Amino acid sequence: MWYYQHTGPIHSQGFDLRSRFLTPTHKILMATATVYPNAPDLSTDDYVVVGLATCFVKEEGEVLEVQVIEAIPSAALEAIVKGIPTSYQRAWGTTLGAVLDGESPTMLAEFPTSAQFCEEFGFRAIAAARTYKIRPQAQSHIPLGTVRSDFSYSLDRKRVLNSQRVVRTEDNVKQHEHTHKVL
């Protein structure tokens, strides 16, 4: 979206509306278009961190390893940088427009071809970008256009994406008979 700013004389009622065409007294400015209808406060130039995580999927009794691309919020990034074990191998500091075209995820050239985007990537990327607007100092951990891989990468606690918890009657704990009695 383009608009122009009048740099000529300003009258008491605003700009001189008689000159509607661009003249040397006008400057053309490019406005940052809002391409995210659910996030009018964000633009394609807003900062976001995107990480490559190792996750697992259960299929027919087997556990398969998959690489997932996820947006990392600022609080999670600050914890990861402090050294907590994480499933993230690498993380990129980039812009929202580089990884999200409207509501469609976009692969960066640095992403492995075998990687896939997480569920609801657009929603999560927008939410993560808002955290960096609130805490801009978190952007210093991974400057824009750089990648970081010195995390405490660990698969001790596997992230199984499609696990389901099934509660059975055998799982119930038998309580002592005096538990609910008033003594």
Side-chain angles (χ1 to χ4, degrees):
M1 174 166 61
W2 292 87
Y3 69 94
Y4 66 92
Q5 177 182 6
H6 189 280
T7 57
I10 297 176
H11 298 278
S12 62
Q13 306 237 336
F15 297 119
D16 182 3
L17 298 178
R18 289 176 284 170
S19 60
R20 290 184 231 178
F21 301 102
L22 294 177
T23 64
T25 61
H26 295 84
K27 286 185 183 176
I28 296 177
L29 301 174
M30 185 174 153
T32 306
T34 303
V35 293
Y36 308 111
N38 295 332
D41 57 323
L42 296 176
S43 72
T44 56
D45 296 332
D46 285 320
Y47 178 87
V48 69
V49 172
V50 180
L52 179 67
T54 302
C55 299
F56 297 88
V57 176
K58 273 189 176 181
E59 284 186 9
E60 300 175 10
E62 289 186 50
V63 178
L64 305 172
E65 183 176 310
V66 293
Q67 292 183 320
V68 179
I69 300 165
E70 298 177 315
I72 305 174
S74 63
L77 179 64
E78 289 178 340
I80 292 168
V81 168
K82 288 183 180 177
I84 67 161
T86 182
S87 62
Y88 290 105
Q89 297 173 9
R90 287 174 274 175
W92 290 265
T94 186
T95 62
L96 203 52
V99 293
L100 194 61
D101 182 21
E103 293 183 14
S104 303
T106 306
M107 291 283 247
L108 292 177
E110 296 87 7
F111 290 161
T113 56
S114 62
Q116 58 191 19
F117 285 97
C118 68
E119 287 185 21
E120 298 181 352
F121 178 79
F123 174 77
R124 293 175 186 208
I126 286 171
R130 284 185 174 129
T131 66
Y132 292 101
K133 282 189 101 153
I134 293 170
R135 285 189 57 77
Q137 61 269 30
Q139 297 178 18
S140 65
H141 298 300
I142 305 176
L144 185 64
T146 62
V147 63
R148 186 166 177 173
S149 60
D150 61 343
F151 303 134
S152 180
Y153 178 69
S154 172
L155 295 179
D156 292 339
R157 297 180 65 199
K158 292 184 174 18
R159 289 179 57 190
V160 181
L161 299 178
N162 62 343
S163 68
Q164 296 178 352
R165 298 186 190 266
V166 179
V167 179
R168 299 174 298 216
T169 54
E170 300 90 49
D171 296 334
N172 290 335
V173 177
K174 184 165 176 121
Q175 296 181 346
H176 191 271
E177 64 181 86
H178 297 300
T179 303
H180 297 292
K181 289 184 180 178
V182 177
L183 301 176

